[in-house]
Structure formats: structure tokens, C-alpha cells
Amino acid sequence: MKYINKKLTIEKIEIENIARKFNTPAYCYSYKKLRDNIKNFKSSFKSFSPLICFSLKSNTNLNLIREIKKFGLGADVVSMGELMMALKAGINPNKIVFSGVGKTTSEIDFAINKNIFLINAESKSEIIEIDRIAKLKKKQVQIGIRLNPNTDAKTLNQISTGKKENKFGVNDKTFNELVKFCINSKYINLKCLSVHIGSQILDHKPYEKMLKIISKIIKKINYNFEFIDLGGGMGISYKNNSKKLNYKKYDIAIKKFLKNHRCKIIFEPGRSIVGNTGFLISRVIYIKNNAGKKFIILDAAMNDLIRPALYGATHNILPSSKISKRSKKIYEFVGPICETTDKFLTIKNFQDLKEKDLVVLCDVGAYGMSLSSNYNLRPKPVELLIKGSKIKILKKRQKHKDLM
Ligand code: LLP
């Protein structure tokens, strides 16, 4: 996305044209960014060609997943709905991993029927349940066990998953016991050790630490895991010039690990694949002055993009047309929802805005639409894919009648 003749443009299409044609709020994804992200991800780890399973929770749009599938990616799913969506998008069951601490009997049953690649189990009770269902079906099931490596991912507390106080995975002692249980089961084929220490990770050191811990555990229990699933979590930069994850150093750490352990690596990236591909176009409804600041009331709200309200996350905001005049007042960009937390960003020195102007919220491709809701009975926005000078509707805007 860049300004061409002062008009904000995604690939070859001006934001103003998209808004005129499809109305606002509108989610747009850049195909070029998506393709570049996947290419970069693959080339960062090309020496050991990992199985890359796109984490569906970051974006569950069927048509977008279809595009991702074309690059050969598999899927990481966490519910029956996501598993059904991955299959509907045509992802090979042989490339689907199923994570999550609370898989129900019917979800396990469905996953086994669909012959997916791995069920990554997260507790003793879950493994006993998988064993029971597999036995009933007289079928061998491939599983992974998720280890909680007690590693601080140095990210937001709310999206940290690898510390011992978190609900995810099992500790090393339980891990040991569960490996023994699996060895003795006729119906479980233990293939994988899995971990996922958190999301939006920008420092490679927690990954290095996690690899050292896994290495130690594998050596101690002396079991040959065919696969090590390192999860996702690779962070992106939401603010200009902010820190970036050093993929080279993460790659070096994995290669070092692979020297001592012969196995194939699985990744479950979400944000790093789709995060910066997405933009939310929104129109200014009203502008009002209060307490020395200007409230810019947008037609997008926390139901469309909850990350700022939920995590205090920052999404940059850009005007669709550039002008040089700056406002002396502080701008507070808010939505129309009846909650004080329905607020996107406070900005000083933004350019002068008028009612009906268009703005764009950046980097909303991951955990944007997938976390959206119908709060205040607001229909969900349209989702569009921009490919050069073409626009494809990925999903239509909801209508009020859909909600009645
Ligand atoms: N694998 C597992 C087991 C996960 O729990 C997650 C994310 C991923 C992979 C993908 O992580 P990623 O590569 O996208 O960081 N709603 C939050 C993020 C929650 C992440 C949950 N788990 C946000 O808006 O930042």
C-alpha cells in the first residue's frame, strides 16, 4: 500500500474507488503481500523444508484459505468449524494438525474419521479419550503431545502460552508419562512433540531457549519423534520502524537443533502469513470536540476489529488522500459502539480530517475479521482480495436481514 499522486493505493487500486464500489467498513487483502509473505517464510527455512500449516484462527475466510492452499500450505486448526473450513478449502487432510486444550469427543471423532495428519494432544485425559475412540474404530491415530516448555515468549501476557502457569500443554514430567502411555497403546502412533510459546514474538531468544529445552527432554526420554511442531508466533511490525523478528537467527537455532535430532519440522504460522496483508477501510461519520480533543467517529468499530480494545494493540491509521494541513488538536479515533473501549488510536499531528473522509486501519489481516462479532447487531464487513487492478469478493457484507 502506498500513496500515488497523494491517493492511498493498494496494489493498483485507490482506496477511494474501493469504498465507492463496496461501501465501508471494508476489509481488503493484498494478494501480492500474501504471496510475498509465503515466499519469504518458505525461503527463510528452505534448508530443512518444513511442513507449514497455516493457523486458521488468524483468518478463517474460505476464499483466502483457498489462495493460501495454492502455495502448498497445510492447516493448523483448533475446532470442528476450523477443521471443516480447512477441508472445504481443499487442504489435504495429510497436512492438517489439530491443536487445542479442549477437544470434545465429537471433534476427536470427526478428526479421526477425516484421517487428518496429527491430533496434538494437550493432556492425559485427552490422550485417554483419543485412545478410547480409536479403539472403538479399530484405527491407529497419529498424534503429537504438546509440551509446555515453561519459556517466557516476551510478548503480551494475554497471548503468551508457554509458561508453566498457562493452561497449554503438559510439563516435562507428565510428558514423560504420556510418551510411555502412547508406546503401550495399540491405537496411538506417537509421531510428534509440539510446542507453541506465544504470539507476536519479536525476539528470537525465547525460541532458542525453547529449542534447548526440547532437545534436553528428547535426549532424556530417548524417543524418536519423527516430527517436531514448533507452533507459530512469529511477530510482525505494527508500528513504523519497530523491531522485527530475526528469522535468520531462528533458522540457525533450528539447524543446530536438527544436527542432534533427525526429524522434520512443522510450523503453524498465522499472523506472519496474513497480518500485514489486510486493511480496514472506514469512513468518518462525525467529528466532535470534547475535553480538548477531537473524536473522529468512524463507521468501523470494535466489533469489526477488537485488537485495540482487547489487547491495547496498535494499528496504524492512514488517510486515503494526503494533504499537508495538520490538525493542532489530538485526534481520538473511535467507533460508534456503546463502550468506552471502542477506541482505535489517539494520534497527535494527524492531517486535517473532515466528516465523510476515508481512513485505513493497517495490518488487520490476522485476528481482525476472525475475531469480529455482531455486537450491537452490526453486520460484518465485506472482505475483498486486491490482485493488481482486480478486486475479488472473498465474502459478501452481511445484511441486517441475516441478523434478524
Ligand atoms: N499454533 C497455536 C497452537 C496457537 O495457539 C496459535 C495462536 C498459532 C499457532 C498461531 O500463532 P501466530 O503465528 O498467529 O502468532 N488474538 C491474538 C492472538 C492469539 C494467538 C492464539 N494462538 C491477537 O490478536 O494478537
Side-chain angles (χ1 to χ4, degrees):
M1 193 168 64
K2 54 179 178 291
Y3 286 96
I4 301 176
N5 298 328
K6 304 204 168 165
K7 300 282 183 201
L8 195 56
T9 308
I10 301 180
E11 299 205 6
K12 290 186 177 156
I13 304 187
E14 282 178 17
I15 297 293
E16 280 171 16
N17 288 343
I18 302 172
R20 202 172 305 125
K21 200 157 172 199
F22 294 95
N23 223 331
T24 54
Y27 267 91
C28 301
Y29 304 92
S30 157
Y31 180 80
K32 185 180 179 302
K33 272 254 154 127
L34 178 69
R35 191 192 57 201
D36 291 352
N37 288 346
I38 296 175
K39 271 193 182 165
N40 289 341
F41 196 97
K42 282 185 179 174
S43 78
S44 299
F45 304 109
K46 65 173 179 297
S47 69
F48 54 88
S49 51
L51 170 63
I52 306 170
C53 295
F54 172 63
S55 193
L56 247 71
K57 65 173 80 67
S58 64
N59 195 306
T60 44
N61 184 293
L62 173 63
N63 288 311
L64 196 72
I65 301 164
R66 282 185 172 139
E67 297 294 340
I68 292 170
K69 183 232 150 194
K70 289 183 196 158
F71 293 97
L73 270 61
D76 156 50
V77 302
V78 287
S79 68
M80 178 113 105
E82 285 191 1
L83 176 51
M84 290 163 82
M85 193 62 103
L87 294 169
K88 190 165 177 182
I91 292 183
N92 188 334
N94 224 339
K95 288 185 180 175
I96 299 181
V97 300
F98 192 170
S99 320
V101 293
K103 301 176 202 78
T104 62
T105 301
S106 53
E107 286 179 318
I108 295 170
D109 192 272
F110 185 70
I112 295 177
N113 285 346
K114 295 292 172 192
N115 299 312
I116 67 164
F117 177 46
L118 280 180
I119 299 179
N120 279 335
E122 303 216 18
S123 62
K124 185 173 180 181
S125 304
E126 185 186 340
I127 294 186
I128 291 171
E129 184 65 352
I130 296 170
D131 189 53
R132 183 186 72 80
I133 301 170
K135 194 170 174 182
L136 284 176
K137 294 182 187 293
K138 297 197 175 56
K139 223 170 156 178
Q140 248 214 356
V141 177
Q142 299 189 160
I143 76 157
I145 306 175
R146 179 162 172 184
L147 173 77
N148 181 322
N150 192 19
T151 307
D152 186 351
K154 304 234 158 51
T155 179
L156 283 176
N157 241 338
Q158 300 101 305
I159 51 176
S160 213
T161 50
K163 290 190 271 184
K164 65 177 190 296
E165 60 268 32
N166 300 137
K167 69 180 173 184
F168 304 96
V170 296
N171 63 25
D172 49 352
K173 190 168 160 268
T174 312
F175 189 85
N176 245 320
E177 276 172 35
L178 294 180
V179 171
K180 283 185 195 130
F181 178 94
C182 293
I183 293 171
N184 290 323
S185 161
K186 232 170 99 181
Y187 299 97
I188 286 183
N189 181 1
L190 178 60
K191 287 243 169 200
C192 177
L193 178 156
S194 83
V195 279
H196 171 79
I197 56 173
S199 196
Q200 185 51 14
I201 298 171
L202 292 168
D203 183 356
H204 63 279
K205 288 191 198 92
Y207 283 131
E208 284 178 353
K209 194 173 161 211
M210 165 189 98
L211 284 162
K212 278 186 192 146
I213 292 169
I214 301 174
S215 185
K216 231 185 198 167
I217 288 176
I218 299 180
K219 275 183 193 153
K220 210 163 123 197
I221 53 175
N222 197 23
Y223 182 85
N224 193 14
F225 288 97
E226 238 178 276
F227 293 86
I228 302 291
D229 181 345
L230 297 175
M234 295 82 165
I236 61 168
S237 51
Y238 283 101
K239 295 173 201 158
N240 295 340
N241 307 320
S242 64
K243 196 178 164 180
K244 286 197 176 80
L245 176 67
N246 190 329
Y247 277 71
K248 234 181 207 153
K249 291 203 170 145
Y250 190 17
D251 177 57
I252 291 170
I254 297 171
K255 283 198 279 216
K256 200 165 149 197
F257 172 88
L258 290 173
K259 275 193 184 142
N260 297 313
H261 306 280
R262 268 192 52 176
C263 55
K264 192 154 168 84
I265 298 292
I266 302 172
F267 286 121
E268 303 170 356
R271 192 188 316 264
S272 50
I273 302 295
V274 290
N276 64 1
T277 67
F279 309 93
L280 178 57
I281 306 177
S282 178
R283 204 176 279 284
V284 178
I285 309 176
Y286 298 123
I287 297 182
K288 74 171 175 185
N289 293 301
N290 235 353
K293 55 188 171 187
K294 271 193 173 179
F295 285 96
I296 311 294
I297 304 167
L298 300 178
D299 65 0
M302 66 190 284
N303 75 300
D304 305 306
L305 174 68
I306 203 173
R307 299 194 70 255
L310 196 58
Y311 309 113
T314 301
H315 287 272
N316 231 341
I317 299 181
L318 297 172
S320 74
S321 291
K322 230 180 190 169
I323 55 164
S324 49
K325 198 169 169 220
R326 304 265 129 197
S327 170
K328 289 192 184 74
K329 288 237 166 112
I330 293 173
Y331 277 3
E332 193 158 311
F333 289 87
V334 299
I337 281 183
C338 313
E339 300 261 358
T340 305
T341 53
D342 184 22
K343 177 177 135 181
F344 293 119
L345 200 58
T346 306
I347 310 183
K348 275 187 199 163
N349 292 322
F350 202 81
Q351 75 173 42
D352 244 4
L353 279 179
K354 306 183 300 306
E355 292 179 354
K356 300 203 168 48
D357 276 355
L358 289 167
V359 295
V360 175
L361 291 114
C362 302
D363 307 310
V364 299
Y367 309 106
M369 196 62 182
S370 67
L371 270 167
S372 68
S373 75
N374 290 120
Y375 187 39
N376 280 199
L377 269 194
R378 289 166 49 88
K380 292 195 186 186
V382 63
E383 287 178 277
L384 307 164
L385 184 69
I386 313 295
K387 198 172 180 179
S389 51
K390 291 204 175 81
I391 307 178
K392 181 175 152 188
I393 299 180
L394 293 173
K395 194 169 186 184
K396 285 187 186 154
R397 183 183 301 285
Q398 265 184 343
K399 294 197 170 79
H400 280 107
K401 76 170 183 345
D402 302 332
L403 305 178
M404 295 299 132

